[in-house]
Amino acid sequence: MNRLQANLCLICVTLCWSTEVIIFSCIPDSVLPFATTCICNVIAAVVLIACFFKRIKAEMRSSAKKILFRCLLLGLLNCGYNAFYLYGLKYFDVSTGAFTFSMTVVVLPVVLLTMRKSVSAKTWISVALVLTGIICALGSNFKGIHPMGFTLMFVGCIVRAVFIVKLNDFAKDHDSITLSTFISIFVSVISFVIWFILQPSTFASIPWSSTIIASLFIHAYFIIAFAQTLNIFAQKRATAAESTIIYALEIVFSLIWGVVLPETLIDRVIPTPFHIIGAVLVVAGSLIEIVEFKGKRRLINETEKQ
């Protein structure tokens, strides 16, 4: 897999993630997000273990302690940024919160520099375009942003940026399916602890129905078992910067779903000119990061040959 193919995989992953809002619309608000996270990650881990047990076992023989430690770290970071996002979202409507959380793309270059990783000029240009697109799409909503909500979102963006960088590093050293499996295991355990603290009745508190069960299984398979594993697989070749900028396309896909899908599935969105301009800028920023110019590609090939 070359870098362009990896980036196309990341676009597919982002497309899958953008459907979360549709799936979650079928789950009552009374079901805590940590409950959904716990159950879906358990299902995803079971599916991956059942399908790839021998592959996971072989990978664990070579570096079990390192994989477990790294997946525990990734699990903690994953639950951390999701917690900041969930509590920060209380101060925003869903669309504004989603746009605000996409500011991870702005935080990432600073995190990369802090970790002594280089950031190319092309990445800075992409970040500037995506940031402009986000600001444009938010428009007048900036005036109503609550300081505490923004602080929680900002801290969440930092934690998420660290998660993306570390995942990108670990993905190059380990089997993607094994990483995905143990990340799901640790995320489910951590989520269950938080769920138990907030709602001791846990599973008994869920108003079980065929719709809820179907939604949980769909989310577990397509969003976690499939999309998360494909994301880790793609990051073997993609960079952390490419991944983060491509993730910003989730805003564009979500906007499209809000326009084309019926109100029975998702709240209808009537795009304003600012939404459209913002989406175009986000797409432009992603394309600049994805496209490899001939001169750069030739230099990379020559370096690899050496």
Side-chain angles (χ1 to χ4, degrees):
M1 174 185 286
N2 58 37
R3 183 166 290 179
L4 179 58
Q5 291 171 331
N7 287 329
L8 291 175
C9 285
L10 289 173
I11 293 174
C12 291
V13 169
T14 306
L15 179 61
C16 290
W17 285 346
S18 69
T19 62
E20 278 186 306
V21 65
I22 303 171
I23 299 171
F24 285 150
S25 67
C26 300
I27 300 176
D29 294 336
S30 60
V31 179
L32 294 180
F34 291 108
T36 304
T37 302
C38 172
I39 295 170
C40 290
N41 276 277
V42 167
I43 295 171
V46 170
V47 169
L48 290 171
I49 292 172
C51 296
F52 302 101
F53 178 76
K54 290 183 178 180
R55 179 169 174 172
I56 295 170
K57 184 178 179 181
E59 179 71 10
M60 291 300 290
R61 282 176 178 172
S62 60
S63 53
K65 291 183 179 179
K66 182 182 290 187
I67 291 173
L68 290 175
F69 174 78
R70 289 181 168 184
C71 287
L72 173 60
L73 174 61
L74 292 173
L76 289 169
L77 291 171
N78 184 294
C79 291
Y81 76 71
N82 275 305
F84 281 112
Y85 173 68
L86 292 172
Y87 283 102
L89 193 61
K90 293 182 178 180
Y91 297 90
F92 301 91
D93 57 63
V94 176
S95 60
T96 305
F99 274 104
T100 306
F101 199 56
S102 295
M103 299 286 281
T104 303
V105 72
V106 183
V107 176
L108 184 79
V110 179
V111 172
L112 286 171
L113 291 175
T114 303
M115 293 183 173
R116 298 182 179 180
K117 296 178 182 288
S118 61
V119 181
S120 67
K122 188 174 76 167
T123 296
W124 286 110
I125 295 171
S126 297
V127 168
L129 283 172
V130 173
L131 174 61
T132 305
I134 293 171
I135 294 173
C136 186
L138 286 175
S140 60
N141 288 336
F142 265 110
K143 298 178 182 178
I145 289 181
H146 194 282
M148 178 56 71
F150 180 80
T151 301
L152 290 171
M153 287 289 192
F154 183 74
V155 175
C157 287
I158 295 175
V159 177
R160 188 185 183 210
V162 174
F163 171 83
I164 292 171
V165 174
K166 301 309 294 183
L167 178 63
N168 189 264
D169 290 341
F170 299 160
K172 293 173 172 57
D173 297 334
H174 304 291
D175 174 61
S176 55
I177 292 174
T178 304
L179 280 180
S180 183
T181 301
F182 283 96
I183 289 172
S184 293
I185 291 173
F186 283 118
V187 168
S188 64
V189 172
I190 297 167
S191 298
F192 180 79
V193 172
I194 300 173
W195 181 21
F196 179 77
I197 293 171
L198 297 176
Q199 197 174 53
S201 56
T202 59
F203 293 95
S205 64
I206 298 177
W208 296 102
S209 67
S210 58
T211 301
I212 292 177
I213 293 173
S215 299
L216 291 173
F217 271 89
I218 291 170
H219 186 274
Y221 181 78
F222 286 104
I223 307 300
I224 301 178
F226 174 73
Q228 177 178 266
T229 305
L230 181 61
N231 175 46
I232 298 172
F233 179 70
Q235 292 211 33
K236 288 182 178 291
R237 292 293 298 170
T239 65
E242 288 170 339
S243 302
T244 307
I245 291 171
I246 291 172
Y247 294 158
L249 287 173
E250 185 175 351
I251 303 169
V252 180
F253 291 134
S254 298
L255 182 63
I256 293 172
W257 300 143
V259 173
V260 303
L261 293 179
E263 293 184 7
T264 53
L265 290 177
I266 189 173
D267 293 335
R268 178 57 60 89
V269 175
I270 301 176
T272 66
F274 286 107
H275 282 139
I276 297 172
I277 294 171
V280 170
L281 288 171
V282 170
V283 172
S286 299
L287 287 175
I288 287 176
E289 184 65 29
I290 291 172
V291 173
E292 293 182 0
F293 298 101
K294 293 182 178 179
K296 182 182 177 183
R297 187 186 300 116
R298 185 165 54 249
L299 179 61
I300 291 173
N301 291 335
E302 290 175 356
T303 303
E304 290 178 346
K305 289 179 181 179
Q306 293 175 357

